[in-house]
Amino acid sequence: MIDINDQNDKPNETLASTAFLKLRNEIIAGAVDPDSKLLIRPLAERYGMGLSPIREALSRLAVEGWLRQTDQRGFTVTPLSLEDLRDLTATRCLLNESALAASIAQGDTLWEESVVLARHRLLRTPRQTNEAAGIRSPQWENAHKAFHASLISACGSQRICAQDAQLFDAFERYRIIARVAVAHGRSDTDEHDAIADAVLKRDAKQAVTLLNSHIRLTEMLVREALWHAGPPAEVSGLRA
């Protein structure tokens, strides 16, 4: 049995960052139920760490909004809600309107090449590791995020890019938990291609329209998937 009070060779800050990333990824992937309570000692034992880095990781996750902290309950995973999904969608669309337009206006040939490369990698990466079993591919998830990040990477603001990445991850949590992949009659490969084509043509108006339509369609599919899975309050902590 691991002695969670033993000192580790790694500094606590490094261990806290490792725990932060592991737990954050688990929350996004739906491996940790929304609205569930997280206890420090069991997490320390599971990750093979001391209590201090786990506390630090949980505090950081709370600051970023992945967890909620209360005096009575400690740390709980932030629940899903239809209102939060609407807010996420609206915020992403508003951010895209300025960030993508700025990126198209300011981007150079190196930026164009990064968009082309990101699109190529996304196209060449299988969406599922086991298509029959419907097991999602982490490689595709990474390529998908990289493609969307490339679109606004020339906007000129690191803060906007960082905010966009955080909103993307929060949105992905809903999509993954709802098990939304490619709906009948929808090809998000074609959607990504159309967005990239408009970006490379420097058609800011069309690019923003296509990107926001892509996000709103995913929101609609997530909403339908969660609603049909059962009453909103019963689906993985979803709240109306």
Side-chain angles (χ1 to χ4, degrees), residues 19 42 52 88 93 96 101 125 136 144 149 153 162 176 194 232:
S52 179
L88 270 173
C93 289
N96 285 331
T125 304
R136 71 185 186 90
H144 183 219
S153 61
I176 292 170

PDB file of all heavy atoms in Angstrom, residues 19 42 52 88 93 96 101 125 136 144 149 153 162 176 194 232:
ATOM      1  N   ALA A  19      -1.327  15.907 -11.248  1.00  0.00           N
ATOM      2  CA  ALA A  19      -2.659  15.550 -10.754  1.00  0.00           C
ATOM      3  C   ALA A  19      -3.721  16.443 -11.389  1.00  0.00           C
ATOM      4  O   ALA A  19      -4.814  15.970 -11.741  1.00  0.00           O
ATOM      5  CB  ALA A  19      -2.704  15.682  -9.234  1.00  0.00           C
ATOM      6  N   PRO A  42      -8.524   9.399  -1.066  1.00  0.00           N
ATOM      7  CA  PRO A  42      -8.619   8.390  -2.131  1.00  0.00           C
ATOM      8  C   PRO A  42      -7.924   8.808  -3.424  1.00  0.00           C
ATOM      9  O   PRO A  42      -7.323   7.979  -4.105  1.00  0.00           O
ATOM     10  CB  PRO A  42     -10.138   8.250  -2.330  1.00  0.00           C
ATOM     11  CG  PRO A  42     -10.724   8.634  -1.022  1.00  0.00           C
ATOM     12  CD  PRO A  42      -9.846   9.737  -0.514  1.00  0.00           C
ATOM     13  N   SER A  52      -0.782  16.999  -0.110  1.00  0.00           N
ATOM     14  CA  SER A  52      -0.569  18.395  -0.456  1.00  0.00           C
ATOM     15  C   SER A  52      -0.726  18.688  -1.952  1.00  0.00           C
ATOM     16  O   SER A  52      -1.448  19.621  -2.330  1.00  0.00           O
ATOM     17  CB  SER A  52       0.810  18.852   0.034  1.00  0.00           C
ATOM     18  OG  SER A  52       1.048  20.199  -0.305  1.00  0.00           O
ATOM     19  N   LEU A  88     -21.988  28.551 -22.861  1.00  0.00           N
ATOM     20  CA  LEU A  88     -20.738  28.155 -23.511  1.00  0.00           C
ATOM     21  C   LEU A  88     -20.792  28.412 -25.014  1.00  0.00           C
ATOM     22  O   LEU A  88     -19.857  28.958 -25.603  1.00  0.00           O
ATOM     23  CB  LEU A  88     -20.467  26.669 -23.262  1.00  0.00           C
ATOM     24  CG  LEU A  88     -19.664  26.277 -22.026  1.00  0.00           C
ATOM     25  CD1 LEU A  88     -19.654  24.758 -21.887  1.00  0.00           C
ATOM     26  CD2 LEU A  88     -18.244  26.811 -22.103  1.00  0.00           C
ATOM     27  N   CYS A  93     -19.096  31.543 -29.709  1.00  0.00           N
ATOM     28  CA  CYS A  93     -19.460  32.207 -30.961  1.00  0.00           C
ATOM     29  C   CYS A  93     -19.050  33.682 -30.942  1.00  0.00           C
ATOM     30  O   CYS A  93     -18.529  34.210 -31.937  1.00  0.00           O
ATOM     31  CB  CYS A  93     -20.958  32.059 -31.219  1.00  0.00           C
ATOM     32  SG  CYS A  93     -21.457  30.368 -31.678  1.00  0.00           S
ATOM     33  N   ASN A  96     -15.309  33.871 -31.364  1.00  0.00           N
ATOM     34  CA  ASN A  96     -14.904  33.570 -32.740  1.00  0.00           C
ATOM     35  C   ASN A  96     -15.086  34.770 -33.664  1.00  0.00           C
ATOM     36  O   ASN A  96     -14.278  34.984 -34.575  1.00  0.00           O
ATOM     37  CB  ASN A  96     -15.713  32.395 -33.290  1.00  0.00           C
ATOM     38  CG  ASN A  96     -15.268  31.063 -32.716  1.00  0.00           C
ATOM     39  OD1 ASN A  96     -14.113  30.896 -32.356  1.00  0.00           O
ATOM     40  ND2 ASN A  96     -16.194  30.126 -32.617  1.00  0.00           N
ATOM     41  N   ALA A 101     -11.793  36.688 -37.212  1.00  0.00           N
ATOM     42  CA  ALA A 101     -11.657  37.811 -38.141  1.00  0.00           C
ATOM     43  C   ALA A 101     -10.278  38.456 -38.017  1.00  0.00           C
ATOM     44  O   ALA A 101      -9.639  38.789 -39.025  1.00  0.00           O
ATOM     45  CB  ALA A 101     -12.755  38.842 -37.880  1.00  0.00           C
ATOM     46  N   THR A 125      -6.541  11.385 -39.249  1.00  0.00           N
ATOM     47  CA  THR A 125      -6.611  10.696 -37.960  1.00  0.00           C
ATOM     48  C   THR A 125      -7.967  10.028 -37.793  1.00  0.00           C
ATOM     49  O   THR A 125      -8.994  10.698 -37.866  1.00  0.00           O
ATOM     50  CB  THR A 125      -6.387  11.679 -36.793  1.00  0.00           C
ATOM     51  OG1 THR A 125      -5.138  12.358 -36.980  1.00  0.00           O
ATOM     52  CG2 THR A 125      -6.365  10.942 -35.465  1.00  0.00           C
ATOM     53  N   ARG A 136     -13.796   6.219 -28.676  1.00  0.00           N
ATOM     54  CA  ARG A 136     -13.249   7.443 -29.234  1.00  0.00           C
ATOM     55  C   ARG A 136     -11.727   7.412 -29.254  1.00  0.00           C
ATOM     56  O   ARG A 136     -11.091   6.727 -28.449  1.00  0.00           O
ATOM     57  CB  ARG A 136     -13.752   8.653 -28.443  1.00  0.00           C
ATOM     58  CG  ARG A 136     -13.171   8.794 -27.064  1.00  0.00           C
ATOM     59  CD  ARG A 136     -13.799   9.953 -26.293  1.00  0.00           C
ATOM     60  NE  ARG A 136     -13.124  10.156 -25.014  1.00  0.00           N
ATOM     61  CZ  ARG A 136     -12.080  10.953 -24.864  1.00  0.00           C
ATOM     62  NH1 ARG A 136     -11.614  11.609 -25.890  1.00  0.00           N
ATOM     63  NH2 ARG A 136     -11.512  11.093 -23.680  1.00  0.00           N
ATOM     64  N   HIS A 144      -8.462  17.455 -33.403  1.00  0.00           N
ATOM     65  CA  HIS A 144      -9.639  18.323 -33.513  1.00  0.00           C
ATOM     66  C   HIS A 144      -9.401  19.644 -32.782  1.00  0.00           C
ATOM     67  O   HIS A 144      -9.659  20.726 -33.325  1.00  0.00           O
ATOM     68  CB  HIS A 144     -10.852  17.584 -32.930  1.00  0.00           C
ATOM     69  CG  HIS A 144     -12.136  18.328 -33.052  1.00  0.00           C
ATOM     70  ND1 HIS A 144     -13.092  18.336 -32.059  1.00  0.00           N
ATOM     71  CD2 HIS A 144     -12.635  19.104 -34.053  1.00  0.00           C
ATOM     72  CE1 HIS A 144     -14.123  19.070 -32.450  1.00  0.00           C
ATOM     73  NE2 HIS A 144     -13.871  19.542 -33.650  1.00  0.00           N
ATOM     74  N   ALA A 149      -7.771  25.469 -32.762  1.00  0.00           N
ATOM     75  CA  ALA A 149      -6.814  26.439 -32.225  1.00  0.00           C
ATOM     76  C   ALA A 149      -6.046  27.140 -33.344  1.00  0.00           C
ATOM     77  O   ALA A 149      -5.749  28.341 -33.253  1.00  0.00           O
ATOM     78  CB  ALA A 149      -5.844  25.743 -31.280  1.00  0.00           C
ATOM     79  N   SER A 153      -5.086  31.325 -34.220  1.00  0.00           N
ATOM     80  CA  SER A 153      -3.746  31.456 -33.635  1.00  0.00           C
ATOM     81  C   SER A 153      -3.023  32.732 -34.061  1.00  0.00           C
ATOM     82  O   SER A 153      -2.027  33.119 -33.449  1.00  0.00           O
ATOM     83  CB  SER A 153      -2.889  30.236 -33.995  1.00  0.00           C
ATOM     84  OG  SER A 153      -2.742  30.121 -35.404  1.00  0.00           O
ATOM     85  N   ALA A 162      -5.876  31.400 -25.091  1.00  0.00           N
ATOM     86  CA  ALA A 162      -5.987  30.582 -23.885  1.00  0.00           C
ATOM     87  C   ALA A 162      -7.449  30.442 -23.453  1.00  0.00           C
ATOM     88  O   ALA A 162      -7.898  29.357 -23.064  1.00  0.00           O
ATOM     89  CB  ALA A 162      -5.157  31.192 -22.761  1.00  0.00           C
ATOM     90  N   ILE A 176     -18.587  14.838 -25.350  1.00  0.00           N
ATOM     91  CA  ILE A 176     -18.109  13.489 -25.063  1.00  0.00           C
ATOM     92  C   ILE A 176     -19.085  12.738 -24.163  1.00  0.00           C
ATOM     93  O   ILE A 176     -19.394  11.565 -24.391  1.00  0.00           O
ATOM     94  CB  ILE A 176     -16.703  13.541 -24.427  1.00  0.00           C
ATOM     95  CG1 ILE A 176     -15.686  14.035 -25.464  1.00  0.00           C
ATOM     96  CG2 ILE A 176     -16.296  12.179 -23.891  1.00  0.00           C
ATOM     97  CD1 ILE A 176     -14.326  14.355 -24.890  1.00  0.00           C
ATOM     98  N   ALA A 194     -14.901  23.057 -45.109  1.00  0.00           N
ATOM     99  CA  ALA A 194     -15.517  24.307 -45.566  1.00  0.00           C
ATOM    100  C   ALA A 194     -15.007  25.493 -44.755  1.00  0.00           C
ATOM    101  O   ALA A 194     -14.748  26.576 -45.310  1.00  0.00           O
ATOM    102  CB  ALA A 194     -17.036  24.196 -45.459  1.00  0.00           C
ATOM    103  N   PRO A 232     -33.647  15.352 -17.852  1.00  0.00           N
ATOM    104  CA  PRO A 232     -32.412  16.133 -17.711  1.00  0.00           C
ATOM    105  C   PRO A 232     -31.717  15.980 -16.384  1.00  0.00           C
ATOM    106  O   PRO A 232     -30.504  15.927 -16.319  1.00  0.00           O
ATOM    107  CB  PRO A 232     -32.909  17.571 -17.929  1.00  0.00           C
ATOM    108  CG  PRO A 232     -34.103  17.424 -18.806  1.00  0.00           C
ATOM    109  CD  PRO A 232     -34.761  16.149 -18.363  1.00  0.00           C
TER     110      PRO A 232
END
